[in-house]
Amino acid sequence: MASFELAKRDEDLKYQLIKNLLTDKLLLPSTSTLASSTADIITWVIQDARSRYASNPERLVAAISASTEANALAVWSSSRNDWIVLSYGLMERLQSGADNLGDRIAAAFPEVMHSELMQRLLQKNSLPGFRTTLGSFIYFGAIAFFAGHEAGHHLSGHDGHFVKGAHAEHSNTSDMLENSAWLRAQALEQDADLIGLDLARRGMTKLLMQLCEVGSFSPAQQQSYQRVLAVLIAVGAMAAVLRVVPREIEWEGVPRLRHPPSVVRVLTLAASLSASFKESFGQLDATSRKWIRLMSLEIAASATILPGTPVDKIYQERLKRGGEPAAIRATGIRKALNDPQFRDYLGRLATELQFVRPKLKPRT
C-alpha cells in the first residue's frame, strides 16, 4: 500500500480519522503480520475496483488506521482522493472469530471438507496469526467485503449524498435524520453492500484459483470447486456483516438508523449470493444453493450468540428440538422473512435508490 505517505499529507483524511476513529495515527503494513496480510487483501480489492473507474482510477487509495475502534470509513478528500480506511480494531475483531467460524464450516459441510480440492487447499500455509487455513480464508472474505463495501460507496458516487466528506460503517450518531434522509442513507448502504459482495466474491475466486494450481478441471472437479468457493464466499461475507449482531427488527427505531437493520443486510446479501451462484456456478443445483445460503446464515448467526443471554436460551431450546437451524430462529432472521413489514421496507429501499441515483456521482 504505497498510499501511506499520501495519507499522512491529506488534511481532509486526518480530520475524518480524528472525528470518526479518535486518532489520526496510521499503520504501515510492515507494522505487524496481520496488517501486512490485510494490506494484501485490500490491494486485491482496490485493483479490481479501480478497473471499474471510467477515469483516474488511481484516485482510489487505502489506509490502515491504528484505532482500536472496530470501524471502516469511506472518505472523500478535497485532493480528489477516494479513501478506503479500515481500522486495526476491526481487523483484530474479525481475526478473533475467523478460526471459530472455520470450525463451524467443518461441522456444517463435511462433504465439502472431505473433498479432494478442499483437502489440497487446507495443506496451504494459513496467514500468520490464524490457527487454521480455513480461518484465514474466512478472514480474507470478511476483509474483502469490508474493503469492497467502502469501495462501493466510491464507485457509486455516494459523495453526492454524504456531503460531510466521509461515511463511517459504525456511526456514533443515532439522532433522527430529517424527512426521508434515513431511508436514503440506508438505501445507499444496501447499494454499497452488494458491490462489496461482488468484489469479495471476485477476490476469493482469484485467490482460490491461484492456490488450486490446476490448469483445468474435470466436470467432477468443477462441481467440487464451485461448492468450496460458494461456501467460503458465503460465510466470509456473512462474517463481515454479522459483526453487527442480528436481532429482531424494531420497526419504530429504524428511522434512527443510518444503516439498514442487520437482519435486512444479511438476508439481502444471502439472496444476492444465491442469485450470483445461480448465474456464475452452473454446477450448483438449486438444492445446493439453498443449503449453502441457509447454513452460511446459521453459521455466522450462531457465532454472534453470547452464552447465558436470552437469545442463547432460545438457541439452546431450538437445538434440542432439532429441525430448523436454531440460530436463524433465535436471532430473528427467520421471523423477518415472514414479516409483511420486511417486504414493504425492501420495496421502499429499492424505490429510494432509484430516486437518488440521478443525483449521485458514479466513478464507473
Side-chain angles (χ1 to χ4, degrees):
M1 293 172 62
S3 52
F4 181 76
E5 292 299 325
L6 182 65
K8 290 198 302 183
R9 298 193 300 270
D10 194 313
E11 291 299 320
D12 289 337
L13 176 63
K14 179 178 180 179
Y15 171 80
Q16 296 294 348
L17 289 172
I18 294 173
K19 177 182 177 182
N20 292 286
L21 297 176
L22 308 181
T23 178
D24 62 349
K25 184 179 179 182
L26 299 170
L27 294 182
L28 280 166
S30 58
T31 302
S32 70
T33 54
L34 181 62
S36 177
S37 299
T38 303
D40 289 341
I41 299 169
I42 295 172
T43 298
W44 281 37
V45 173
I46 285 180
Q47 289 174 345
D48 194 347
R50 279 180 169 180
S51 71
R52 307 183 187 197
Y53 270 56
S55 62
N56 302 320
E58 66 280 355
R59 70 186 291 184
L60 181 64
V61 282
I64 296 175
S65 166
S67 174
T68 57
E69 299 281 327
N71 213 339
L73 308 178
V75 178
W76 294 274
S77 170
S78 59
S79 61
R80 293 185 59 78
N81 287 321
D82 290 343
W83 286 101
I84 296 171
V85 181
L86 270 62
S87 73
Y88 199 73
L90 174 65
M91 293 154 49
E92 288 184 315
R93 182 175 294 186
L94 293 172
Q95 179 193 35
S96 68
D99 282 319
N100 175 268
L101 286 171
D103 294 340
R104 292 171 188 265
I105 287 177
F109 297 99
E111 76 289 350
V112 171
M113 297 303 299
H114 294 148
S115 67
E116 178 185 350
L117 176 60
M118 180 63 89
Q119 289 300 309
R120 185 186 304 146
L121 289 172
L122 294 179
Q123 292 174 10
K124 306 294 181 180
N125 293 327
S126 63
L127 295 175
F130 293 86
R131 174 170 50 83
T132 65
T133 300
L134 197 54
S136 68
F137 287 157
I138 298 305
Y139 182 78
F140 183 104
I143 288 294
F145 176 81
F146 268 111
H149 173 94
E150 303 310 328
H153 283 301
H154 294 304
L155 285 167
S156 289
H158 291 173
D159 47 329
H161 171 78
F162 296 109
V163 294
K164 293 184 179 180
H167 161 73
E169 177 64 16
H170 300 299
S171 175
N172 294 324
T173 303
S174 59
D175 56 299
M176 185 84 72
L177 297 177
E178 294 182 0
N179 302 320
S180 63
W182 64 271
L183 185 63
R184 184 166 302 173
Q186 292 177 26
L188 295 179
E189 285 305 313
Q190 187 177 62
D191 187 34
D193 270 352
L194 296 179
I195 295 173
L197 180 63
D198 183 55
L199 289 167
R201 178 185 64 80
R202 290 163 60 90
M204 182 67 78
T205 301
K206 182 178 179 181
L207 172 68
L208 293 191
M209 282 298 293
Q210 287 187 4
L211 294 176
C212 285
E213 299 176 345
V214 176
S216 61
F217 292 114
S218 68
Q221 289 174 325
Q222 180 71 11
Q223 185 179 50
S224 176
Y225 167 74
Q226 290 183 3
R227 190 180 297 273
V228 168
L229 184 58
V231 168
L232 294 177
I233 291 172
V235 179
M238 294 300 104
V241 176
L242 286 174
R243 285 293 135 194
V244 183
V245 180
R247 294 296 179 259
E248 294 185 5
I249 302 173
E250 297 178 359
W251 291 109
E252 66 277 6
V254 169
R256 291 193 295 272
L257 302 174
R258 295 173 183 269
H259 293 73
S262 56
V263 169
V264 173
R265 296 183 77 181
V266 299
L267 286 174
T268 300
L269 286 178
S272 180
L273 274 169
S274 189
S276 175
F277 295 159
K278 181 178 181 180
E279 179 180 351
S280 304
F281 298 164
Q283 298 296 320
L284 287 182
D285 58 27
T287 300
S288 296
R289 293 195 304 271
K290 182 178 179 180
W291 181 246
I292 291 171
R293 181 175 70 244
L294 180 68
M295 292 311 298
S296 65
L297 283 169
E298 177 70 10
I299 288 168
S302 63
T304 71
I305 299 174
L306 298 177
T309 60
V311 173
D312 183 48
K313 182 179 179 180
I314 298 172
Y315 177 52
Q316 297 302 328
E317 290 174 350
R318 292 286 171 180
L319 281 177
K320 292 177 182 177
R321 295 184 196 179
E324 184 182 80
I328 290 175
R329 173 73 73 173
T331 55
I333 292 174
R334 179 68 179 83
K335 183 177 180 180
L337 282 172
N338 295 316
D339 187 339
Q341 293 186 82
F342 176 71
R343 298 296 175 187
D344 176 68
Y345 171 73
L346 289 181
R348 295 179 67 190
L349 286 182
T351 299
E352 186 66 21
L353 184 59
Q354 291 305 310
F355 175 76
V356 73
R357 277 199 192 282
K359 303 177 183 180
L360 302 178
K361 307 171 184 178
R363 308 295 192 253
T364 53

